[in-house]
Amino acid sequence: MAKLLTGEQVKAKFRAAGKTVTEWAEENGYTRGAVYRVINGFDKAHYGKAHQIAVALGMKSDEAQAA
């Protein structure tokens, strides 16, 4: 199982890749605000779109939703 990332690690990964959160959000079909809410911990991402974003970012495992 891959190590899950924190919001700060996701931000660092974007910086290292030269990609903005806005670019990633558009490429993956999410709104910029929704992605920022997940990365910054305002949205706990237990279910729904926020959970999908967290899984796509590597912040949560996909199995978490099945539990």
Side-chain angles (χ1 to χ4, degrees):
M1 183 170 159
K3 181 178 177 278
L4 300 179
L5 303 174
T6 66
E8 290 303 314
Q9 290 171 323
V10 171
K11 290 177 193 178
K13 186 175 166 185
F14 282 159
R15 280 191 300 272
K19 184 176 290 267
T20 66
V21 172
T22 303
E23 289 171 337
W24 186 90
E26 290 173 357
E27 290 170 3
N28 290 279
Y30 301 116
T31 64
R32 174 183 177 268
V35 175
Y36 269 112
R37 289 182 60 79
V38 171
I39 290 174
N40 292 318
F42 293 113
D43 201 329
K44 299 303 176 200
H46 294 296
Y47 51 85
K49 180 95 42 193
H51 180 79
Q52 293 172 358
I53 292 168
V55 169
L57 289 169
M59 295 176 71
K60 286 198 167 212
S61 75
D62 203 15
E63 294 94 40
Q65 192 169 15

